[in-house]
Amino acid sequence: MNSYLQPKPLSKLGRIGRSILKRFMYSQLMIFSGIKIAIGKENPLVRFTVENDPPSIYWVYRIKSSKIKELEQKLGISERFSLCPIRCLETDEPEYLLTINAYRVSGLANGLRAEWSVFVQEAENTPRYLIIDARSSQRSVDPIDIITKASTVIHERRDGKIHSQIGDGDRAFRSTISIPEVATPIITSRDWVSANDYIYWGNGICDRTFYDAGLANAKQNRIGNEHCVISDGSFWSQFVEPDPTHVLILQNAIEFAISPWENIDRLHIR
């Protein structure tokens, strides 16, 4: 009968040896992985962190029923996609939604970012994100323009409020949110969370994301419209109801691993 053998305590020399072994072994694996990425045998996987200060905010708008088809035509959505309804919160009914998301990011990209997105379904009827407009406070890379030029993205906490501005002049989206002393915690739907698995761009390229329980269990609060002052002069405002259905504030940072442009080698180009 085997008896349990207590492992030897880790010595200082043993820790140093294991540290050197770890660095050597995994650096060799990363070099090998880099070679495979370069010859197209493996997809890259990079870190992407949505910071918690200022908090990430979603303004969730209902698309006007009279504008759904027109929006699809404006977007020129691929034949493999169509706009689809989705539940934002577990208690919601599925609706056609457009979101604006402003956040600070580090990792794959850095600085302040803002994105307008809609939800589309594939042949398998699985809702996915489709980014229709992306802005960044710093130059960055995306699969549409290759280089995203820096533009006006302001998203900051100041004087007990969160001030956001995307764009300039009459065409800008502006929001000022007064943080209430008591906020309403919410739970987003499973479809809303899983839509992040594949984030598509207008030309069909997608980023595949992997995340831990930080997203599924994200601490989020819903802010009532009475705490928000919003002015939306963006192009996309013509397709949505005047007031957001939800304004959601994430309270914690979210860490992702992203495989950028994951499907590019499988896309069928006519």
Side-chain angles (χ1 to χ4, degrees):
M1 182 176 179
N2 293 330
S3 60
Y4 173 72
L5 298 178
Q6 185 173 352
K8 295 180 180 179
L10 183 64
S11 65
K12 183 177 180 180
L13 182 61
R15 182 188 64 79
I16 293 173
R18 286 166 175 78
S19 178
I20 294 172
L21 177 61
K22 166 193 163 183
R23 296 174 192 178
F24 174 78
M25 182 168 59
Y26 288 105
S27 66
Q28 299 308 301
L29 287 174
M30 290 302 293
I31 292 171
F32 183 57
S33 180
I35 294 172
K36 292 177 71 176
I37 291 170
I39 62 176
K41 297 297 185 181
E42 185 175 303
N43 282 315
L45 199 61
V46 292
R47 293 180 61 182
F48 185 94
T49 301
V50 176
E51 307 288 353
N52 65 345
D53 190 22
S56 173
I57 296 181
Y58 279 91
W59 295 266
V60 183
Y61 285 88
R62 182 184 297 111
I63 300 173
K64 296 175 183 177
S65 58
S66 60
K67 292 287 188 176
I68 294 173
K69 291 299 181 183
E70 181 182 348
L71 179 56
E72 282 188 328
Q73 293 173 357
K74 290 285 186 183
L75 295 175
I77 291 178
S78 167
E79 293 180 359
R80 67 177 290 193
F81 294 122
S82 62
L83 290 179
C84 70
I86 190 171
R87 290 182 303 138
C88 176
L89 308 185
E90 284 288 359
T91 54
D92 288 347
E93 292 296 324
E95 296 182 294
Y96 289 89
L97 300 175
L98 179 147
T99 70
I100 306 168
N101 182 205
Y103 56 97
R104 180 180 293 279
V105 66
S106 60
L108 176 61
N110 289 279
L112 297 171
R113 290 185 61 85
E115 296 156 357
W116 281 263
S117 301
V118 293
F119 295 88
V120 295
Q121 63 184 7
E122 304 168 301
E124 296 82 8
N125 295 325
T126 303
R128 301 297 186 199
Y129 269 100
L130 172 66
I131 296 174
I132 57 178
D133 194 347
R135 312 284 180 89
S136 176
S137 64
Q138 300 182 21
R139 293 181 67 184
S140 60
V141 176
D142 71 57
I144 300 294
D145 300 316
I146 306 301
I147 299 296
T148 300
K149 296 180 180 179
S151 60
T152 299
V153 180
I154 299 170
H155 187 55
E156 60 185 5
R157 191 196 299 266
R158 176 165 37 90
D159 301 327
K161 300 179 180 180
I162 300 175
H163 302 268
S164 306
Q165 178 181 332
I166 310 165
D168 297 297
D170 295 338
R171 305 294 290 174
F173 172 88
R174 294 180 173 87
S175 168
T176 299
I177 297 176
S178 301
I179 305 299
E181 293 183 4
V182 179
T184 304
I186 55 90
I187 298 176
T188 51
S189 72
R190 293 181 181 179
D191 286 345
W192 184 271
V193 174
S194 63
N196 281 279
D197 290 351
Y198 293 88
I199 299 176
Y200 283 89
W201 297 76
N203 57 7
I205 294 175
C206 79
D207 299 329
R208 186 175 182 184
T209 64
F210 303 88
Y211 45 86
D212 58 19
L215 179 61
N217 300 324
K219 296 178 181 179
Q220 301 180 71
N221 292 332
R222 182 180 186 275
I223 304 299
N225 286 348
E226 67 273 14
H227 299 288
C228 307
V229 178
I230 297 173
S231 172
D232 189 358
S234 71
F235 172 80
W236 307 106
S237 64
Q238 63 184 297
F239 299 102
V240 298
E241 301 290 345
D243 297 319
T245 302
H246 302 297
V247 177
L248 307 180
I249 298 183
L250 275 70
Q251 301 300 311
N252 56 300
I254 306 289
E255 293 189 355
F256 299 86
I258 290 187
S259 179
W261 308 5
E262 187 270 343
N263 67 337
I264 193 166
D265 293 323
R266 302 192 305 274
L267 284 177
H268 297 288
I269 306 300
R270 292 183 176 181

